[in-house]
Amino acid sequence: MRVLITDPIAEEGIDCLRGFAEVDVRLGLHGSELLAAIGAYEALVVRSETRVSADVIEAGALLQVIGRAGVGVDNIDVEAATRHGVLVVNAPTGNTIAATEHTLAMLLALARSIPQAYASLKSGEWKRSQFVGTEIRGRVLGVVGLGKIGLEVAKRARGFEMELIGYDPYVSPDQARAAGIELLSVPDIMRRADFITVHTPLTPATTNLIGEKELALAKPTLRIVNCARGGIINEEALAQAVAGGRIGGAAIDVFTKEPATDNVLVKSDGNIIVTPHLGASTEEAQIAVAVDVAHQIEEVAQGKQPRFAVNAPAVLPEELELLRPFVQLADKLGRLYVQLTEGQIGPIELTAGGDVANYPLAPITAAVLKGILEATSDQKVNLVNAGVLAKARGLSVTEKKIFDIETYESLLTLEVGDTTVAGTVEYGEPRIVQLNRYRVDLPATGIWLLARHRDQPGMVGKVGTLLGNSDVNISGMQVGRLTARGDDSIMILIVDDPVPEEVLDRVRAIPGVGLTQVVAV
């Protein structure tokens, strides 16, 4: 794998990448230069400076993964990456503590006017009376966004004996209550809070989440902190609210456009503290996010699903490890279906039975679609874009869960029209246990010769002898029949190499042998 790095990341991350890949560090590569270079690389690593547009992604014909050494991915066209089957990974946990501590530092600096007092004293002034601050003990802190960073900020704010209220549409009241936070709407937070800190991602729903209308609801003493993403708070409205005395002040680390030297908040003479996007700027965080992204790119190189894929089915890291063999199995079931059937694809039904039914099916469903589409699409198909490509073809999967089953701890069954294939996982390895009406037990790998035949003595021997005489080596065998002796049966011979068509014709010519085909699992 070749990896291109266009933004500065910690040397420890680069060393990790060099352990398994060829790495080129070309800082500041933008525009036409990036478009010209990206076609030679399977992976791209950026921070916030490089803009990874749809044009860049389209030019990256070999591109498999884009790694963002940090949290936000608003500088990456994730939708375009998904369409092209390119994974986007980030490092959402590596800078959690750094961003948390910077948020608290900004809040305290705002409460005590530390930057202004520093600047006054350094200029030769001694004006203690101008810098009377406010204690944060007993004050109401509104936390907008209760993800990892928001909750860590709340935990530390409790240590300052602050009263906590918060907003997050994806957190239940019970979860918030367990963290000591009362859930409220954004307008209610604006009315009650003495301090507000925002920790949401920047999405269409959160852009200008706090604007002129919301600021008009606030106490005149309200102080706002934003160490998340520029654009969550409307910058012009915030500057005017502080300048007009409608709120008490703001501390801002992030901006809609960076570098932000001309930003209205940076140029303000009011009680607005600014820092140049330092939330993740600790030595520990820089190392952590770089190493985290490097490990995820290595997982992609190994054919595994990385832990923090932004545009792949969301699964907790601990669940992902358990589901991995079932994702492999689902891909095999999709491949088998395509090879066992002809004609128009029918309704797709996936049933998860037993233990696996207790886990999210999204990555398993994506793997089924990948297996089905790979053989029929001229585009690169993977877990990232399988759902998008299927939707474009009008395909969808009906998921079912059955928690109590017999025989197997877990079972995946794929039914498409009249075709049924099923499998399980034993000792971490996928196995196929049903081919249409036949019960079998086969490792889900290799090249198989499938031959339906009359269930009578000598049939397997005749086919085996013919293959041996044709220099086709058999490494495994399975015979399945419907019910009793004498019924229709199927033999599955696992062979080392593809079977020539002329040999298949001779197998089909054996009396008693019916439909015969080769499938690659």
Side-chain angles (χ1 to χ4, degrees), residues 73-333:
V73 292
D74 38 289
N75 59 316
I76 300 170
D77 192 328
V78 177
E79 184 179 337
T82 302
R83 288 198 307 270
H84 288 82
V86 178
L87 276 165
V88 178
V89 302
N90 66 347
T93 61
N95 62 7
T96 297
I97 300 304
T100 297
E101 292 181 354
H102 192 64
T103 298
L104 267 297
M106 294 286 272
L107 190 151
L108 290 168
L110 186 59
R112 300 303 297 269
S113 301
I114 292 174
Q116 295 92 330
Y118 169 83
S120 173
L121 181 56
K122 292 291 283 186
S123 68
E125 299 174 340
W126 186 267
K127 297 182 177 179
R128 293 178 61 196
S129 61
Q130 288 189 8
F131 303 109
V132 177
T134 182
E135 295 182 8
I136 66 173
R137 183 184 62 166
R139 302 294 184 181
V140 178
L141 174 64
V143 184
V144 178
L146 300 175
K148 292 181 183 297
I149 297 173
L151 289 176
E152 289 294 334
V153 169
K155 182 193 301 182
R156 286 154 179 78
R158 283 201 306 274
F160 285 109
E161 301 181 31
M162 299 188 81
E163 180 184 343
L164 299 174
I165 57 177
Y167 166 79
D168 194 315
Y170 305 105
V171 170
S172 71
D174 288 342
Q175 286 177 297
R177 198 175 299 115
I181 301 168
E182 178 186 359
L183 275 187
L184 296 173
S185 66
V186 171
D188 285 341
I189 288 175
M190 298 302 299
R191 292 185 184 98
R192 278 187 53 185
D194 298 301
F195 292 85
I196 288 176
T197 177
V198 295
H199 299 286
T200 71
L202 183 65
T203 68
T206 62
T207 298
N208 294 324
L209 183 64
I210 297 176
E212 184 177 358
K213 182 176 67 173
E214 290 75 22
L215 290 165
L217 302 173
K219 301 175 183 179
T221 54
L222 173 69
R223 294 168 172 87
I224 295 181
V225 179
N226 183 8
C227 294
R229 277 288 175 268
I232 299 170
I233 303 172
N234 184 285
E235 293 173 339
E236 190 67 40
L238 179 60
Q240 290 178 5
V242 175
R246 296 194 300 276
I247 69 170
I252 307 298
D253 183 53
V254 288
F255 305 89
T256 52
K257 183 180 179 181
E258 297 178 359
T261 52
D262 290 330
N263 189 280
V264 63
L265 298 174
V266 174
K267 290 188 169 185
S268 172
D269 294 327
N271 188 26
I272 297 178
I273 297 169
V274 291
T275 51
H277 204 148
L278 300 180
S281 295
T282 65
E283 293 180 6
E284 296 85 351
Q286 297 299 302
I287 293 171
V289 297
V291 170
D292 199 350
V293 163
H295 286 324
Q296 291 186 79
I297 291 174
E298 183 175 15
E299 288 175 328
V300 173
Q302 294 171 347
K304 299 177 181 178
Q305 185 175 347
R307 290 166 297 157
F308 300 117
V310 173
N311 57 343
V315 182
L316 294 173
E318 56 269 24
E319 292 177 340
L320 181 61
E321 196 58 38
L322 184 145
L323 287 175
R324 188 168 317 224
F326 289 99
V327 171
Q328 295 171 353
L329 171 63
D331 180 76
K332 303 286 188 179
L333 294 177

Side-chain angles (χ1 to χ4, degrees), residues 332-342 375 419 448 517-521:
K332 303 286 188 179
L333 294 177
R335 290 169 184 264
L336 272 175
Y337 156 73
V338 170
Q339 296 175 82
L340 292 176
T341 193
E342 294 181 355
T419 301
W448 299 353
Q517 67 183 116
V518 173
V519 300
V521 186

Side-chain angles (χ1 to χ4, degrees), residues 337-338 341-348 369 372-373 393-395 416-417:
Y337 156 73
V338 170
T341 193
E342 294 181 355
Q344 191 68 32
I345 186 170
I348 305 170
L369 290 171
I372 291 174
L373 293 174
R393 296 179 178 214
L395 301 180
V416 189

Side-chain angles (χ1 to χ4, degrees), residues 20-45:
F20 65 90
E22 180 183 340
V23 179
D24 290 334
V25 180
R26 301 176 65 181
L27 303 183
L29 201 63
H30 299 302
S32 59
E33 291 182 336
L34 180 56
L35 283 170
I38 193 62
Y41 296 92
E42 287 81 18
L44 171 65
V45 178

